[in-house]
Amino acid sequence: MKETIKSLFLTLLVVASMVQSYYLIYRLPGNDPIVKSESEYVEAETMGIPMEVESMIFPAQMVIHMGDDRHSVFYPESTFYNLINSRLKGRQFDGFQRYALENINWADIRSSHEGIELQFDGGVPVALLQKVMQISPDSLFEAESISKILIYNTENEDQVRVFFFSNEGGVVYEATKVDLTVQDVKQQINFGKDWVPYTLVNGYYIPDEPIDMVETGLNIDLYTAEQMQRSLFFDFSITRYIREKNGSEIYTDSKRSLQVRQDRNWMNFTDPAAASTGDNSPSKNVVSAVDYVNSHGGWSGKYRLEQSEGRDDDKHLAVFRQYYGAAQYGAFPIIDLPTFHYGTITLEMRQGTIVGYERSLLYTTEGTWSKKVVTLQGGKELRDKIAVISKEAIITNLYPAYIPSLTKEGLLLQPTWVVELSNGATRVLN
């Protein structure tokens, strides 16, 4: 009998020891284990707004060609821009043929024909354009990125022609099967007849009259280094802290590295050892980039895919530009300045896996503390300023944008003209 009691007692002790070990390992209550696999990232706190990639695919500007060398320009979120864009999204584009870019006089077409030109600047992969436009699958150009789409009526006005311009240059693709009529194009270009007239000069457009924008003061907040650690590291409690001589702070778990510049409200995260298991498709890389930001900081306002390009080392770069706008006036890009980094989110990928991530720690919150309409110069006054800059290098683009700056009240967005040069430089016309 005594031996039976001893056996039962020993059994109870063993069971109690096992339960205690289980509690110690898994930290009950809370079911938060000390031992985790690398795939089990802790769900980060909600830090921003999640967005779909489709919301970031839209033209930087829409040029209306009215014939007789008359033009106008619509900007994102303006009434006519939205109306034309929504109509084009429902049209079908099919039957693609490839041509050499130099075989067609594009300057003559833009000056002489009625049409619409969608400008995407840095290029959008065809697979992403297919998410927002009815573009039929076609092996001829499915691997391309598109910088412009030109839609115009032929000279005898019995046909609509549509060309997709490769971002690489040298070739264009014509959609020979389009459910757009000459009258459809005429109705859409009529929106530009009473709008601000623009003049085509060496490939870019100058307004003949001043244009209005809204100078705005936005409320802001700041992500902390601790928030970003929780969001980006497998286990942020084991990160080491290093302070550089230049004032930057580095947090690392020996595999990943988070660099925070508190004086610039900027962060740079790198994960060079990240396993690469997917393919290097540009469109899939961009989708992965959007999903990554959704889970690691989120978005603050409206963004556009500004740049999507591959690199020689099998890496892919995606840059998203923040836009801000007011009803009636349109939405415009916020310029990332060397003296004040804000307005862009940049990700570097290797076969769909994020290996680099840069962004501002500042984000906008609801409400504004200042608003006023500002008039940007046009006509001769603007031409004179541009003429001075053109002595430095060939001008490739001109567009309105916002200059960001920090004040005691928050983020101030001031309207300005921005000039892009052929040497890669950007100039702001204050």
Side-chain angles (χ1 to χ4, degrees), residues 98-164:
R98 176 173 173 160
Y99 302 98
L101 184 68
E102 60 186 16
N103 289 346
I104 301 175
N105 188 337
W106 302 107
D108 179 67
I109 290 174
R110 291 183 174 97
S111 298
S112 306
H113 295 259
E114 295 179 337
I116 305 157
E117 186 171 352
L118 312 181
Q119 298 186 348
F120 293 94
D121 293 344
V124 177
V126 169
L128 293 181
L129 271 183
Q130 289 173 327
K131 292 179 176 291
V132 295
M133 299 181 72
Q134 304 301 312
I135 300 174
S136 298
D138 193 301
S139 59
L140 184 64
F141 83 133
E142 62 184 6
E144 288 279 5
S145 285
I146 302 303
S147 61
K148 298 176 186 176
I149 301 175
L150 178 60
I151 303 168
Y152 69 93
N153 291 337
T154 55
E155 190 171 357
N156 54 12
E157 296 191 344
D158 65 351
Q159 181 187 7
V160 177
R161 301 191 73 177
V162 181
F163 289 90
F164 292 72

Side-chain angles (χ1 to χ4, degrees), residues 101-379:
L101 184 68
E102 60 186 16
N103 289 346
I104 301 175
N105 188 337
W106 302 107
D108 179 67
I109 290 174
R110 291 183 174 97
S111 298
S112 306
H113 295 259
E114 295 179 337
I116 305 157
E117 186 171 352
L118 312 181
Q119 298 186 348
F120 293 94
D121 293 344
V124 177
V126 169
L128 293 181
L129 271 183
Q130 289 173 327
K131 292 179 176 291
V132 295
M133 299 181 72
Q134 304 301 312
I135 300 174
S136 298
D138 193 301
S139 59
L140 184 64
F141 83 133
E142 62 184 6
E144 288 279 5
S145 285
I146 302 303
S147 61
K148 298 176 186 176
I149 301 175
L150 178 60
I151 303 168
Y152 69 93
N153 291 337
T154 55
E155 190 171 357
N156 54 12
E157 296 191 344
D158 65 351
Q159 181 187 7
V160 177
R161 301 191 73 177
V162 181
F163 289 90
F164 292 72
F165 290 69
S166 169
N167 191 51
E168 297 299 322
V171 297
V172 294
Y173 298 84
E174 181 178 12
T176 59
K177 298 177 182 178
V178 181
D179 60 347
L180 274 169
T181 66
V182 170
Q183 195 57 37
D184 289 333
V185 176
K186 281 184 171 293
Q187 288 177 353
Q188 293 173 18
I189 68 168
N190 281 338
F191 297 135
K193 290 185 176 179
D194 296 324
W195 208 246
V196 177
Y198 282 68
T199 299
L200 175 59
V201 179
N202 299 325
Y204 61 95
Y205 298 84
I206 301 178
D208 298 334
E209 303 171 3
I211 69 168
D212 290 335
M213 290 176 63
V214 179
E215 180 178 294
T216 308
L218 301 175
N219 296 322
I220 57 172
D221 208 335
L222 183 70
Y223 293 137
T224 65
E226 184 177 337
Q227 283 179 298
M228 298 312 302
Q229 285 184 79
R230 288 200 196 101
S231 175
L232 294 166
F233 286 98
F234 160 65
D235 184 357
F236 81 95
S237 65
I238 63 172
T239 59
R240 293 183 294 111
Y241 172 78
I242 304 170
R243 186 173 182 84
E244 299 283 273
K245 291 181 179 180
N246 62 4
S248 63
E249 301 170 353
I250 296 178
Y251 303 86
T252 179
D253 62 359
S254 76
K255 293 182 179 180
R256 307 165 185 88
S257 174
L258 171 65
Q259 183 180 32
V260 176
R261 292 295 301 268
Q262 297 288 5
D263 57 333
R264 297 185 180 182
N265 301 309
W266 189 257
M267 58 141 280
N268 183 2
F269 178 72
T270 56
D271 189 4
S276 302
T277 57
D279 58 39
N280 208 32
S281 161
S283 59
K284 291 182 179 179
N285 279 334
V286 172
V287 172
S288 296
V290 173
D291 289 341
Y292 188 87
V293 177
N294 285 343
S295 301
H296 301 87
W299 308 85
S300 173
K302 185 179 184 67
Y303 284 80
R304 186 180 75 87
L305 175 63
E306 181 177 83
Q307 183 179 348
S308 172
E309 64 176 24
R311 296 188 167 182
D312 295 336
D313 55 359
D314 291 330
K315 290 183 180 179
H316 187 94
L317 189 71
V319 180
F320 301 90
R321 171 78 59 186
Q322 186 173 358
Y323 274 60
Y324 179 80
Q328 178 185 350
Y329 299 98
F332 304 92
I334 300 175
I335 302 302
D336 184 16
L337 302 171
T339 55
F340 179 45
H341 280 306
Y342 182 83
T344 59
I345 294 179
T346 302
L347 297 103
E348 191 172 39
M349 292 143 283
R350 186 193 299 119
Q351 297 178 336
T353 301
I354 309 300
V355 295
Y357 177 35
E358 287 189 61
R359 66 176 297 162
S360 174
L361 295 172
L362 292 171
Y363 63 94
T364 57
T365 59
E366 292 185 4
T368 61
W369 47 267
S370 175
K371 267 190 178 184
K372 68 177 180 179
V373 177
V374 172
T375 300
L376 292 183
Q377 67 269 37

Side-chain angles (χ1 to χ4, degrees), residues 19-68:
V19 170
Q20 186 178 28
S21 298
Y22 179 87
Y23 271 61
L24 288 172
I25 294 174
Y26 290 94
R27 292 182 177 179
L28 292 175
N31 293 325
D32 183 20
I34 293 175
V35 180
K36 305 175 186 176
S37 68
E38 288 238 357
S39 61
E40 295 179 301
Y41 279 80
V42 177
E43 184 68 26
E45 63 182 291
T46 301
M47 295 170 62
I49 303 170
M51 297 179 69
E52 299 292 333
V53 68
E54 290 85 347
S55 68
M56 304 181 193
I57 309 299
F58 57 90
Q61 62 183 26
M62 186 179 294
V63 182
I64 306 301
H65 304 296
M66 295 172 282
D68 299 323

Side-chain angles (χ1 to χ4, degrees), residues 25 86 322 327 385 396 404 406:
I25 294 174
S86 64
Q322 186 173 358
K385 289 189 174 183
T396 58
L406 275 181

